Amino acid sequence: MNGFLTEQDAKAIADLHPEVFGAIVPWVREAARAGNWIRAEKFANLAASLRVAGLCEVLQEILDSDAAGLNKEDLVDILGEIREVDAVACLFRVAEKSVSEDAPAYWLCQKVISSLGEIGTPEAYECIREMTAQSWPDIVRWHAAVEVGIEDELGFDESHMLR
């Protein structure tokens, strides 16, 4: 598996190796324990394309571990892509933990907001609304407000925010 993995690629892999459905989540976990983030992400992307059961739990374990060298943005994206409702609290924790280190663009917080929006449950939207509070940096507040459609209500000037 090199580069971008399409759903068609994932299906072809699964057709050739049907055992992947039962093995992929343990492979993600094993790669994460070894700190092999490239392998863990590749397996996670394959598991996401195949909608393999158990992926949400292992990705939450990894995100909650605060492991060094981990590209959290990709895992946050995957949880949004597969619309894992059980990941809402974990995603919000990722944003809370990262906000002090994510400046100035707050990319990880933006990914969390986007993934919560993709999940789209009332709980996910409530977390996004919490990120519009004054305690969050303005850029995070603005992205959260845009996601839930209240940016005008909060008085944000889009031209100023996009500078």
Side-chain angles (χ1 to χ4, degrees):
M1 293 185 313
N2 293 323
F4 179 74
L5 182 69
T6 66
E7 298 231 0
Q8 185 177 1
D9 295 332
K11 184 178 177 344
I13 291 168
D15 287 346
L16 285 172
H17 306 283
E19 68 277 5
V20 76
F21 285 99
I24 193 89
V25 169
W27 293 344
V28 173
R29 186 174 276 117
E30 181 180 307
R33 284 188 186 134
N36 188 338
W37 301 118
I38 292 171
R39 175 171 275 173
E41 286 180 37
K42 284 182 180 183
F43 287 147
N45 277 306
L46 176 59
S49 294
L50 297 173
R51 301 296 193 244
V52 173
L55 180 61
C56 177
E57 292 80 17
V58 75
L59 295 183
Q60 288 182 84
E61 288 171 18
I62 294 168
L63 288 168
D64 282 336
S65 75
D66 290 324
L70 170 64
N71 181 349
K72 292 180 181 180
E73 291 177 15
D74 288 347
L75 301 185
V76 165
D77 272 344
I78 290 170
L79 289 171
E81 173 191 327
I82 61 177
R83 292 179 171 86
E84 275 294 346
V85 297
D86 292 339
V88 170
C90 175
L91 289 169
F92 189 70
R93 284 191 304 273
V94 167
E96 287 179 313
K97 290 178 192 175
S98 72
V99 73
S100 64
E101 304 161 359
D102 205 18
Y106 300 97
W107 296 118
L108 184 54
C109 287
Q110 289 182 52
K111 295 276 187 172
V112 167
I113 292 165
S114 176
S115 288
L116 288 169
E118 286 184 67
I119 292 169
T121 63
E123 180 188 9
Y125 283 121
E126 181 55 35
C127 288
I128 297 170
R129 279 187 207 88
E130 284 184 43
M131 295 172 77
T132 66
Q134 290 290 333
S135 59
W136 290 82
D138 281 347
I139 193 72
V140 174
R141 294 178 61 236
W142 181 71
H143 282 285
V146 168
E147 187 67 39
V148 293
I150 60 171
E151 67 275 19
D152 292 336
E153 184 181 312
L154 294 182
F156 283 110
D157 175 4
E158 183 174 356
S159 61
H160 174 74
M161 295 307 297
L162 293 176
R163 285 186 198 163

